[in-house]
């Protein structure tokens, strides 16, 4: 529906074809509302083909629509219009469907290929076992089609371990860390949050959810390439939120005290919800992120509050791998390099949710306050 409403008939046709096919297969076992849903799908699909230049197929679908609703005068007029266009020969011949040319969306092929990869367990889905360090199995990340980097089993820096990070907070219950990728550095902390904590955070955020916005110049606005709802929670909202903030500080070793980090953002992606390729860090000094006067976003930690039946992976476009959703785990990566420049390899996307409901909690940490926690490198290019 989002693709249809924005005139992206390349993608709306694919989704509507699937819907129409499923309804046809269930012929004879419909409920009344199912029948109207088939008509609705046929109507939208016919118009999508018309706008894409395939008049004959639009006519065929419209005639099929009239088989179920012969009294619909709007579709009757559409049929007459399509027949006239074909008789006059003024309709352009239908060529292959072409993807919209969007300068905003980079590396579309890699994005779509990564998001179409089948889901599965990430590494040791139950955490690391036995004495550390461990080599992670090669199923921890899903490679894209271009494979610019070696296969996971050939990457020597990937490992699983129990981590205390020098924090007393983690001495009795170390974090279960899996290094998912090395360049950019991406780590997955298994069992980072409990089921009860996740439900509490979703419950706190639920009444405040609103359509998510994105940075646009010096302002923030809604965009069709980010389809979700979100809410912000202060650490004073509930003891669970405060405990989660302490846990994040312990595993990252970073300072989360205001204004060095943003409030916890809770995001809900429903069916079809997604966030197309983007950077978490600001790429312009005019970005609203700098209003906090605490520098750019140096790091991201994203906590999966729910499981997803299909879709919803986090895809790193230029690095060419994706990480499926692992309930109660937290995904961490550095947005900035040690020299302060943005790391282009962190271009990432939230793949569309194909079945189920995806909940995440994001914590964005800024560079000010971290000067003695993440030191610069002797190499100015690092």
């Amino acid at each position: 529906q989002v693709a249809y409403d924005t005139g992206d008939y390349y993608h709306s046709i694919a989704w509507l074809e699937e819907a129409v096919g499923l309804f046809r297969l269930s012929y004879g076992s419909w409920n009344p509302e199912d029948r109207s849903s088939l008509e609705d799908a046929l109507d939208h699909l016919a118009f999508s083909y018309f706008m894409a230049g395939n008049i004959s197929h639009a006519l065929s679908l419209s005639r099929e629509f009239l088989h179920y609703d012969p009294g619909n005068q709007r579709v009757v007029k559409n049929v007459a219009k399509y027949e006239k266009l074909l008789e006059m020969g003024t309709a352009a011949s239908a060529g292959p469907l072409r993807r919209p040319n969007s300068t905003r969306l980079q590396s579309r092929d890699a994005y779509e290929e990564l998001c179409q990869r089948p889901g599965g367990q990430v590494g040791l889905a139950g955490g690391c076992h036995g004495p550390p360090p461990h080599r992670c199995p090669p199923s921890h990340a899903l490679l894209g089609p271009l494979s610019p980097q070696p296969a996971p089993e050939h990457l020597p820096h990937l490992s699983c371990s129990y981590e205390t990070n020098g924090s007393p907070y983690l001495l009795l219950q170390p974090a279960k860390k899996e290094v998912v990728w090395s360049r950019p550095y991406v780590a997955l902390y298994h069992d980072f949050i409990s089921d009860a904590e996740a439900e509490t955070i979703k419950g706190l955020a639920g009444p405040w959810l609103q359509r998510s916005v994105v940075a646009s110049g010096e302002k923030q606005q809604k965009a069709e390439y980010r389809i979700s709802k979100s809410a912000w929670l202060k650490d004073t909202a509930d003891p669970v939120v405060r405990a989660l903030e302490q846990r994040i500080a312990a595993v990252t070793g970073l300072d989360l005290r205001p204004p060095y980090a943003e409030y916890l953002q809770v995001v809900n992606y429903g069916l079809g919800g997604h966030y197309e390729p983007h950077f978490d860090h600001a790429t312009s000094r005019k970005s609203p992120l700098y209003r906090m006067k605490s520098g750019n976003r140096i790091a991201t930690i994203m906590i999966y509050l729910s499981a997803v039946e299909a879709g919803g992976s986090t895809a790193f476009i230029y690095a060419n791998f994706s990480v499926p959703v692992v309930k109660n785990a937290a995904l961490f990566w550095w947005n900035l390099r040690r020299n302060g420049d943005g790391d282009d390899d962190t271009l990432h996307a939230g793949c569309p949710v194909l079945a189920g409901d995806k909940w995440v909690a994001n914590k964005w940490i800024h560079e000010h306050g971290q000067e003695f926690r993440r030191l610069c490198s002797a190499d100015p290019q690092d």
Side-chain angles (χ1 to χ4, degrees):
Q1 186 65 48
V2 172
Y4 181 88
D5 290 342
T6 57
D8 180 4
Y9 301 111
Y10 174 89
H11 289 96
S12 71
I13 284 174
W15 282 95
L16 289 166
E17 283 281 14
E18 182 71 14
V20 168
L22 291 173
F23 281 123
R24 285 170 176 160
L25 288 173
S26 63
Y27 183 83
S29 59
W30 295 329
N31 294 322
E33 61 268 26
D34 293 332
R35 183 168 176 173
S36 63
S37 295
L38 172 63
E39 294 166 5
D40 190 49
L42 287 169
D43 191 18
H44 283 74
L45 183 57
F47 185 75
S48 295
Y49 271 114
F50 169 69
M51 294 300 293
N54 194 334
I55 307 299
S56 60
H57 200 43
L59 175 60
S60 175
L61 291 166
S62 296
R63 286 172 173 169
E64 183 180 352
F65 178 101
L66 292 177
H67 174 73
Y68 302 110
D69 185 7
N72 191 301
Q73 292 303 307
R74 179 179 56 79
V75 177
V76 168
K77 292 179 181 178
N78 285 346
V79 167
K81 176 181 178 180
Y82 298 154
E83 289 175 338
K84 185 175 182 181
L85 287 172
L86 291 171
E87 289 173 4
M88 295 174 60
T90 57
S93 58
L97 287 173
R98 298 186 181 277
R99 178 185 292 113
N101 183 22
S102 171
T103 56
R104 166 186 52 76
L105 187 58
Q106 305 177 60
S107 303
R108 181 88 206 194
D109 288 336
Y111 164 58
E112 292 187 353
E113 288 284 351
L114 286 167
C115 288
Q116 290 169 8
R117 294 287 164 179
Q121 290 186 339
V122 178
L124 303 177
C128 300
H129 302 278
H134 309 276
R135 285 300 306 278
C136 293
S139 62
H140 74 291
L142 302 174
L143 283 169
L146 304 179
S147 297
Q149 301 198 41
E153 59 267 29
H154 297 145
L155 293 172
H157 303 297
L158 304 184
S159 62
C160 290
S161 60
Y162 290 106
E163 294 286 330
T164 62
N165 203 27
S167 170
Y169 189 89
L170 298 174
L171 284 177
L172 295 180
Q173 188 175 354
K176 303 173 183 177
K177 184 174 80 170
E178 174 185 348
V179 178
V180 175
W181 213 255
S182 54
R183 293 182 65 89
Y185 176 85
V186 180
L188 188 71
Y189 292 92
H190 293 270
D191 301 323
F192 189 80
I193 191 172
S194 69
D195 288 339
E197 289 174 323
E199 291 303 315
T200 296
I201 290 173
K202 289 193 292 183
L204 290 169
W208 305 101
L209 289 175
Q210 293 184 348
R211 173 72 184 271
S212 300
V213 296
V214 298
S216 177
E218 298 183 15
K219 300 179 180 180
Q220 292 185 329
Q221 64 181 27
K222 299 174 184 177
E224 73 277 4
Y225 56 88
R226 186 184 190 188
I227 306 300
S228 63
K229 292 183 177 182
S230 58
W232 299 86
L233 296 179
K234 296 182 179 180
D235 63 354
T236 55
D238 191 273
V240 168
V241 181
R242 177 164 297 187
L244 187 59
E245 301 252 345
Q246 292 174 340
R247 201 172 306 151
I248 295 171
V251 299
T252 63
L254 299 176
D255 192 344
L256 271 61
R257 296 174 300 172
Y260 303 140
E262 299 174 40
Y263 297 137
L264 189 71
Q265 186 194 53
V266 182
V267 187
N268 175 229
Y269 296 90
L271 188 64
H274 64 280
Y275 194 173
E276 293 184 1
H278 63 282
F279 294 108
D280 279 357
H281 63 274
T283 56
S284 168
R285 293 292 302 186
K286 295 181 179 180
S287 170
L289 293 178
Y290 285 105
R291 292 176 186 166
M292 294 180 65
K293 301 187 183 302
S294 54
N296 210 342
R297 288 172 172 169
I298 191 173
T300 294
I301 189 161
M302 181 172 65
I303 305 162
Y304 295 114
L305 303 176
S306 68
V308 177
E309 294 178 38
S313 297
T314 302
F316 287 82
I317 310 305
Y318 292 153
N320 197 34
F321 73 97
S322 63
V323 182
V325 173
V326 179
K327 188 178 186 302
N328 294 346
L331 197 63
F332 172 86
W333 67 89
W334 298 105
N335 295 306
L336 306 182
R337 300 166 64 184
R338 289 186 180 272
N339 63 9
D341 293 340
D343 188 345
D344 289 344
D345 285 337
T346 63
L347 183 74
H348 63 286
C351 295
V353 175
L354 304 180
D357 200 23
K358 176 183 174 183
W359 286 81
V360 300
N362 299 311
K363 189 71 174 180
W364 288 300
I365 306 163
H366 285 237
E367 56 188 330
H368 293 183
Q370 321 306 337
E371 294 84 354
F372 297 102
R373 295 170 182 264
R374 193 197 190 204
L375 301 179
C376 297
S377 169
D379 182 359
Q381 302 302 317
D382 189 3

